[in-house]
Amino acid sequence: MKRKNMLAGLGLCLMLAIAGCGGNNTANTENAANSGNGAANATNAPASEAPAAQDSYKIAISQYVEHPSLDATREGFLAALKDAGLVEGENLTVDLQNAQADQSNNLAVAQKIAGDKNDLVLAIATPSAQAVVQEVDKNTPILFAAVTDPLDAKLVSDLAHPGGNVSGASDTNPESITRLMQFIAAQFPNVKKLGLIINEGEPNAVVMSGIAKEELDKHGIELVKAPITNTSEVKQAAESLVGRVDAFYITLDNSVVSGVDAIIQTANDNKIPFFSADRDTVEKGAFATVGFKYYDHGYQVGEMAVEVLKNGTSPGDMEVKMQEKLDLILNLKAAEAQGIEVTDAMKAEVSDTASSIIQ
């Protein structure tokens, strides 16, 4: 993975995206790149023809795993369709498939979707998006959500002008990571080592940890990794960091987020501040993040889907989007459980105190 190239692409596209949640093996990544839907052929793929007026629509959703952020993404997506008059059970049929964080299931889900006729396919998380782009016909519109780095995942070759039949939204803004690391450095002077539970098989986690490390290095804080390969190892990884680090941190790492209850429990039992990369985990029991609501992220992609379904817009003509509105989010109950004194200086960094300070 070329992080410098990724960051350069982000800068050129006004920080449009880096992408969500998930990993894939090298073979799948290469297949995605060589697919008729991949970046290598994106600019040569024909734009989808504008659909004729329809009384009803059928869409398929491939979701990599169930956890609060991805579930909220799906709910926001469907809410946007409903607000535009596309209602499941009335004029909209939704085929929801969940891979349960298993790569074999993930590929099988994509192949099943490819064998059906859909007006649009939504892929939630990087592994789902890579498999869908690899398997689904290039004439079927594809949107992705909860993807950390669409360029590195080879879903598109240009964030501003994707081309082909693929577009969507990234769930990461590099500024959210650097701002959180700066908050830790400024407000937690006793944190000299930050423990990161991570599945390095998920490219998005690697990208985000690299950005975090770069900022932490500026403040003399060491990033200590506790690697896992699946969700069942999260508890042991968190416990292995006790006594070795001063705080916990996790990225948008599907395997880790799916087992986050164990991290929260370990943090609370040992009075260790716990920082996350997403709001949903803070609402669940981490102390702080700089982020946004995944429901809003999904709603944003849902609005893109409405353009595709009702107006015949080609995904290739739609820029890859991202969340620009970021805020520091604090959970005061989590602070108490983790032995954190929430100061006025911390609260002063929150812009929207009504919604971003969780009581």
Side-chain angles (χ1 to χ4, degrees):
M1 189 214 24
K2 309 281 192 229
R3 194 168 65 81
K4 288 186 177 178
N5 291 339
M6 180 271 298
L7 292 174
L10 291 169
L12 289 173
C13 299
L14 300 178
M15 304 288 285
L16 284 168
I18 14 177
C21 294
N24 209 346
N25 57 39
T26 302
N28 282 347
T29 302
E30 289 175 353
N31 288 340
N34 294 327
S35 153
N37 292 313
N41 297 302
T43 55
N44 295 323
S48 300
E49 294 181 2
Q54 293 180 225
D55 294 327
S56 63
Y57 299 86
K58 180 183 178 184
I59 66 172
I61 299 177
S62 173
Q63 182 172 325
Y64 187 61
V65 67
E66 292 179 321
H67 66 60
S69 296
L70 301 190
D71 293 344
T73 299
R74 184 187 70 248
E75 291 163 5
F77 175 84
L78 292 174
L81 295 183
K82 184 177 181 180
D83 288 348
L86 302 178
V87 182
E88 188 176 2
E90 295 182 11
N91 58 355
L92 177 67
T93 301
V94 179
D95 176 20
L96 173 61
Q97 300 289 324
N98 193 304
Q100 300 299 334
D102 182 279
Q103 286 290 3
S104 297
N105 290 345
N106 187 47
L107 182 59
V109 163
Q111 290 171 340
K112 178 191 180 302
I113 290 173
D116 296 334
K117 182 174 177 57
N118 293 288
D119 296 301
L120 181 141
V121 177
L122 170 69
I124 304 176
T126 300
S128 295
Q130 288 177 314
V132 163
V133 167
Q134 175 182 323
E135 297 295 330
V136 174
D137 183 87
K138 66 178 179 293
N139 292 314
T140 300
I142 297 171
L143 295 176
F144 57 78
V147 171
T148 299
D149 186 353
L151 296 175
D152 184 69
K154 296 181 172 60
L155 301 177
V156 297
S157 59
D158 188 314
L159 298 172
H161 306 285
N165 64 315
V166 183
S167 189
S170 166
D171 64 348
T172 301
N173 183 328
E175 184 184 349
S176 68
I177 305 170
T178 57
R179 279 180 56 184
L180 182 60
M181 297 306 110
Q182 290 165 0
F183 173 77
I184 295 170
Q187 303 298 336
F188 292 82
N190 292 330
V191 173
K192 303 300 181 185
K193 293 184 178 182
L194 183 64
L196 173 67
I197 299 96
I198 182 172
N199 178 2
E200 294 187 294
E202 296 198 23
N204 56 295
V206 175
V207 169
M208 296 181 71
S209 66
I211 297 171
K213 183 180 185 304
E214 184 175 338
E215 185 62 33
L216 290 171
D217 285 346
K218 298 176 183 178
H219 302 280
I221 299 174
E222 180 183 354
L223 188 66
V224 180
K225 295 181 180 179
I228 67 161
T229 58
N230 57 64
T231 300
S232 66
E233 299 171 356
V234 169
K235 184 176 187 293
Q236 182 179 356
E239 291 175 343
S240 75
L241 291 170
V242 176
R244 299 170 50 212
V245 301
D246 307 301
F248 291 159
Y249 170 60
I250 64 171
T251 67
L252 301 175
D253 185 327
N254 292 301
S255 301
V256 175
V257 174
S258 295
V260 76
D261 286 344
I263 304 175
I264 293 170
Q265 188 63 55
T266 303
N268 293 350
D269 289 347
N270 295 276
K271 304 300 180 186
I272 298 173
F274 174 27
F275 303 92
S276 74
D278 66 293
R279 180 188 178 106
D280 294 294
T281 299
V282 171
E283 291 180 350
K284 200 168 189 180
F287 168 58
T289 190
V290 173
F292 54 87
K293 293 182 179 180
Y294 268 80
Y295 181 93
D296 295 338
H297 171 68
Y299 196 97
Q300 185 179 43
V301 182
E303 291 177 321
M304 297 176 72
V306 171
E307 283 294 313
V308 173
L309 294 173
K310 299 187 77 171
N311 299 329
T313 304
S314 169
D317 295 331
M318 307 172 80
E319 68 178 9
V320 175
K321 299 182 182 297
M322 69 177 295
Q323 287 290 326
E324 298 286 353
K325 185 179 179 181
L326 301 173
D327 198 6
L328 176 67
I329 302 158
L330 305 177
N331 184 326
L332 301 189
K333 288 184 179 179
E336 182 178 359
Q338 294 161 22
I340 301 168
E341 179 185 354
V342 181
T343 65
D344 289 341
M346 293 180 187
K347 293 180 180 179
E349 295 195 30
V350 178
S351 298
D352 184 356
T353 56
S355 66
S356 295
I357 294 182
I358 302 167
Q359 303 291 335

